[in-house]
Amino acid sequence: MNQYLKSLWLTETVRLIEKDSGRFHDDDANRQARAIKASVSERIMTRAEILSEQHGLKRSQQEWLNSAKLSLFILFIIALFTGAGLAFSALAQNPVNLYWALLCLLGLHLVTLCLWLISCIFLPNESGSFLIHIWLWIAKKLSKKTTVSQVLPAFISLFNKQLRWLVGLVVNLLWTVILFSAFIILLTLLSTKHYSFEWQTTLLSADSVITVTHVLGQLPAILGFSLPNNDMIRASEQAMSNGEIRSAWAIWLLGIFIVYGIAVRLVLLIFCWLKWRIGCQSITLNLQYPQYQLLVNDLDVVAIKHIVDKEHHHNSVLHAENKQIYSTATNKMLVAIEIETNWLPPAEIEFLGFLNSHNERKAMLDFLQQHPAEKLLIAIDTNRSPDRGIINLIQSLATKSVHCRLWFINQGRQFSNWQESLSKLKMHQTDTAWLLKEDDNAKRN
């Protein structure tokens, strides 16, 4: 599965979760999605990728994929032994009853093939199959229960119309493995042991057996597999030890098995694989879902107006372009969190503003998302406690800059708690001199 389909799958997972449990806390994810120059669909997918990373959905998806691959491998092993069992049961007796051997080799294959074809014709929207249910059951057992409950319904919802081709792909792949395994064992046994062949019947005459033998062997004969002549068929009513007769029947049996068994499953395998690939290429994000309609407005590029005068630290800045410039950021900025607005920062430093209200914080994060700082200094009043909201804001601001440090403007009542928070944030304390240093000094951060 390519990365695009994985992204669509994660997006659908997020949609289903939000449909049942409400919106995630997605301000920062929306902000990052708006920052990319792309279509609305791509922004929605980017948002889903960010939320999936934050909430472990991407890890859950990978766990489910790994479980599905492991369970498929287990089914391959089972298929190999199943094929070997078919071959041994077909040649369990010597002399070999030809038509009983054919029934052992192709009976179950033909029955399941007919059931699958009937379901495809009359129940095109159903994707039930015994093998596929075993596969999903093993995958669930090998992965976490919570993971499957989140990810699997999204997979089914996203690939709904294409699931029958995935089912056909897996089922025909397993049957190809089963029949190929049986063919290898069959060829090995016929090459290393003497087998005599006979046909037995109570109701049919010898002429009927000859007709059936020729009808079954006609298509393989076109591909080069020889047919026993009428005298050989009549003589085989009783087991014959003649080498030519044994060889003719062995080739006839192998030809029928290859043409009506392996070749049929291989053709269907290729057909289902092509339909699955073509179908997956047509899958796109359905923006008609109500959850996506709400996101269309949230992720639209809008002009963000933030007023900051330079002398009194409130200059007017208009941000309307949608660009990511982390790698080219050269600015050095200062912001203040939960500090009284009468506080005066150093005049020689570019001060972006106070972050005391929700709107101010949102506007600043939007601005820094569009124009990230090379060096960002965050002024902190240590009389304020380092609560979860402030810590989360600091972490969000740090992601919008190349280098970020904290400046404690005083040694207030909560100074010791802020010292402890520094280690948790994995950030350094500094002062305004850090902003004025050369860039190579900033790299030490």
Side-chain angles (χ1 to χ4, degrees):
M1 182 178 293
N2 59 41
Q3 189 58 45
Y4 176 72
L5 290 178
K6 288 182 180 179
S7 297
L8 283 175
W9 183 1
L10 286 174
T11 305
E12 182 65 11
T13 303
V14 170
R15 185 188 73 83
L16 292 181
I17 292 175
E18 292 187 325
K19 179 182 177 182
D20 295 335
S21 306
R23 287 276 289 270
F24 286 107
H25 180 69
D26 58 355
D27 288 346
D28 194 59
N30 291 348
R31 189 176 295 111
Q32 294 183 53
R34 283 195 300 268
I36 66 171
K37 192 172 184 179
S39 64
V40 173
S41 296
E42 290 173 322
R43 290 192 193 119
I44 291 175
M45 291 171 63
T46 299
R47 170 188 178 270
E49 288 268 3
I50 296 169
L51 292 174
S52 298
E53 195 72 47
Q54 293 174 352
H55 297 276
L57 296 177
K58 184 174 288 188
R59 184 179 65 254
S60 298
Q61 181 194 61
Q62 191 58 48
E63 288 175 356
W64 196 92
L65 285 172
N66 292 339
S67 299
K69 291 175 183 177
L70 179 58
S71 62
L72 192 59
F73 176 75
I74 293 173
L75 288 177
F76 280 166
I77 300 301
I78 295 174
L80 289 172
F81 284 101
T82 302
L86 291 178
F88 281 115
S89 64
L91 301 182
Q93 296 180 345
N94 195 4
V96 177
N97 187 323
L98 287 162
Y99 292 99
W100 179 255
L102 277 182
L103 184 63
C104 290
L105 291 171
L106 297 177
L108 185 59
H109 147 69
L110 292 174
V111 170
T112 56
L113 177 62
C114 290
L115 291 175
W116 179 73
L117 290 174
I118 291 172
S119 67
C120 285
I121 295 172
F122 296 104
L123 299 170
N125 295 324
E126 296 293 331
S127 55
S129 169
F130 180 68
L131 288 175
I132 206 71
H133 282 301
I134 292 178
W135 178 36
L136 293 178
W137 179 81
I138 295 176
K140 289 180 181 180
K141 293 298 181 181
L142 294 175
S143 59
K144 297 179 180 179
K145 188 175 181 181
T146 55
T147 296
V148 175
S149 65
Q150 294 172 339
V151 177
L152 187 56
F155 179 84
I156 295 173
S157 174
L158 180 65
F159 295 96
N160 183 32
K161 294 182 180 179
Q162 311 304 328
L163 277 181
R164 61 170 174 164
W165 302 120
L166 177 60
V167 171
L169 175 62
V170 174
V171 169
N172 287 299
L173 177 61
L174 290 174
W175 267 111
T176 301
V177 173
I178 290 172
L179 296 177
F180 190 76
S181 172
F183 173 75
I184 295 299
I185 300 298
L186 199 63
L187 189 62
T188 301
L189 291 175
L190 291 175
S191 300
T192 57
K193 294 180 68 176
H194 281 291
Y195 285 97
S196 298
F197 298 93
E198 63 178 0
W199 54 265
Q200 297 178 358
T201 179
T202 302
L203 299 177
L204 301 178
S205 64
D207 291 335
S208 299
V209 173
I210 292 173
T211 302
V212 172
T213 302
H214 280 291
V215 169
L216 292 176
Q218 189 171 6
L219 186 56
I222 296 175
L223 301 177
F225 294 95
S226 60
L227 268 171
N229 58 42
N230 292 349
D231 292 335
M232 289 182 179
I233 297 172
R234 292 181 186 278
S236 297
E237 185 174 4
Q238 300 296 327
M240 301 291 291
S241 59
N242 185 288
E244 184 180 356
I245 295 178
R246 290 202 306 268
S247 178
W249 279 119
I251 293 173
W252 177 83
L253 184 64
L254 289 174
I256 291 178
F257 183 68
I258 291 172
V259 171
Y260 298 111
I262 296 175
V264 170
R265 289 293 183 175
L266 192 57
V267 169
L268 290 174
L269 171 64
I270 296 172
F271 175 76
C272 290
W273 178 77
L274 289 174
K275 294 291 289 185
W276 167 252
R277 289 294 300 271
I278 294 172
C280 286
Q281 291 174 0
S282 66
I283 295 177
T284 57
L285 207 63
N286 185 2
L287 295 178
Q288 300 305 313
Y289 286 123
Q291 294 78 18
Y292 293 154
Q293 287 293 310
L294 293 175
L295 288 175
V296 168
N297 296 326
D298 292 346
L299 300 181
D300 195 12
V301 180
V302 295
I304 303 171
K305 195 171 182 179
H306 183 64
I307 300 178
V308 181
D309 185 86
K310 187 166 187 179
E311 185 173 353
H312 298 286
H313 318 297
H314 294 289
N315 287 329
S316 176
V317 185
L318 181 63
H319 312 289
E321 293 184 357
N322 188 24
K323 298 180 179 178
Q324 284 183 308
I325 54 173
Y326 278 89
S327 60
T328 59
T330 58
N331 45 345
K332 303 172 183 180
M333 303 175 182
L334 171 68
V335 296
I337 298 179
E338 296 291 344
I339 296 178
E340 296 294 334
T341 55
N342 58 6
W343 176 74
L344 295 177
E348 67 274 13
I349 296 175
E350 183 180 358
F351 181 58
L352 292 184
F354 295 95
L355 308 183
N356 297 335
S357 68
H358 174 75
N359 289 337
E360 288 172 340
R361 295 176 180 183
K362 183 177 183 299
M364 182 61 66
L365 288 170
D366 287 338
F367 168 67
L368 290 175
Q369 181 66 49
Q370 303 294 325
H371 305 284
E374 180 186 357
K375 297 169 72 174
L376 180 65
L377 185 61
I378 303 174
I380 300 292
D381 179 3
T382 55
N383 285 311
R384 306 276 186 175
S385 64
D387 57 47
R388 183 180 300 177
I390 294 179
I391 295 299
N392 289 339
L393 176 59
I394 292 173
Q395 291 175 330
S396 297
L397 288 170
T399 63
K400 306 296 185 290
S401 62
V402 179
H403 306 286
C404 183
R405 288 189 180 182
L406 300 184
W407 173 30
F408 298 150
I409 63 172
N410 54 23
Q411 291 190 8
R413 296 184 301 273
Q414 299 291 330
F415 185 77
S416 59
N417 291 333
W418 275 107
Q419 291 288 341
E420 294 177 4
S421 298
L422 276 177
S423 59
K424 295 179 182 178
L425 288 168
K426 296 181 179 179
M427 296 179 68
H428 298 284
Q429 176 187 355
T430 187
D431 54 29
T432 56
W434 174 72
L435 282 181
L436 302 176
K437 291 180 180 179
E438 296 297 326
D439 292 344
D440 54 350
N441 293 330
K443 294 178 182 177
R444 296 175 186 174
N445 187 33

